[in-house]
Amino acid sequence: MSCCFDLVIFDCDGVLIDSEILAIEAEVRVFTRHGLPVDAAFILDHCTGLSWKSELAFMEAWFKVTLPPGISAEAAQETESLLEARLVAIGGIEAVLDGLTIPACVASSSTPERLRLSLGKVGLYARFAPHIFSSTMVQNGKPAPDLFLYAAREMQAAPDRCVVIEDSVHGVHAAKAAGMTAIGFTGGSHCRSGHAQRLLEAGADRVIGGHDALAPALACPAVRARG
């Protein structure tokens, strides 16, 4: 696969693994148990792409509540149970990785523990390790650019030579704030009608519907037109 970039930065949930729909299901269960009237659409609209710390802060501010400290462990247990039972990789990712001729890494809002669990379950952890970066490694998670800039520094790549593959509005905002090219991805089962347009409106330079379209997007200079 020829490429006009020096580094590909993959988001994890919803790009490498079809986990967003499972995480959303777990979060809806937990938040409703604690009296918050949320559904999957609410989580999708407001929280996809955020770190758990940022999501909790958003929920407390939105609903004007203080959530109990134990809710984090509760959500982690609920999510891990669903991941263990139903997690799969996004179709086509293995072929993409086999064809890459430049370095690649992962930059995710998930914790290192969850990244090891989820990527390991679908056989992708060894494909990226040790180049797997978590928002816990930086001060500010997405939509701040910190995580992507940290990944670029660790991989010794200039930001303007990096391309980020992201499924969330918050992630696209972070990539563009970092001065990187952003390719929106709508191949996860959580993506609803109109999601491609939402990613474009957030600043994505291009949107693809699956990994079969990624190789042409990486090779084509036109992807950088809006960067």
Side-chain angles (χ1 to χ4, degrees):
M1 180 191 302
S2 63
C3 187
C4 58
F5 300 98
D6 295 334
L7 176 67
V8 183
I9 303 176
F10 289 95
D11 178 39
C12 180
D13 298 289
V15 172
L16 299 176
I17 55 176
D18 206 6
S19 54
E20 285 287 12
I21 198 71
L22 303 178
I24 289 166
E25 181 179 335
E27 290 165 14
V28 168
R29 291 181 187 179
V30 171
F31 286 130
T32 55
R33 279 203 296 265
H34 288 274
L36 303 188
V38 302
D39 58 12
F42 183 91
I43 300 292
L44 276 167
D45 287 340
H46 298 287
C47 302
T48 302
L50 293 179
S51 67
W52 176 246
K53 178 182 176 181
S54 296
E55 183 170 345
L56 280 182
F58 170 81
M59 287 292 183
E60 290 187 327
W62 184 278
F63 292 105
K64 296 180 174 57
V65 298
T66 299
L67 294 167
I71 195 171
S72 295
E74 187 180 342
Q77 183 176 14
E78 193 84 53
T79 303
E80 288 173 14
S81 296
L82 291 176
L83 293 176
E84 186 61 38
R86 291 157 47 189
L87 182 65
V88 295
I90 298 285
I93 185 57
E94 289 278 5
V96 166
L97 297 178
D98 289 342
L100 278 179
T101 58
I102 62 169
C105 67
V106 177
S108 170
S109 294
S110 291
T111 64
E113 295 76 18
R114 181 168 150 186
L115 287 165
R116 181 180 291 274
L117 169 72
S118 57
L119 289 172
K121 178 173 172 54
V122 300
L124 291 177
Y125 189 83
R127 299 294 301 263
F128 289 99
H131 307 306
I132 299 173
F133 308 111
S134 163
S135 62
T136 62
M137 300 172 178
V138 296
Q139 183 172 355
N140 302 299
K142 304 172 189 177
D146 303 30
L147 179 58
F148 291 140
L149 291 173
Y150 177 81
R153 285 195 300 272
E154 290 295 304
M155 300 295 291
Q156 299 183 2
D160 65 354
R161 296 289 298 167
C162 297
V163 57
V164 176
I165 318 302
E166 259 289 354
D167 68 305
S168 74
V169 167
H170 290 303
V172 169
H173 284 157
K176 298 310 294 181
M180 300 177 180
T181 297
I183 297 179
F185 184 82
T186 62
S189 60
H190 66 291
C191 294
R192 302 165 292 169
S193 174
H195 191 57
Q197 185 60 36
R198 284 188 285 273
L199 295 176
L200 288 171
E201 291 173 355
D205 297 278
R206 181 169 179 171
V207 175
I208 59 174
H211 285 306
D212 58 339
L214 184 53
L218 292 178
C220 177
V223 75
R224 309 193 70 179
R226 290 182 53 187

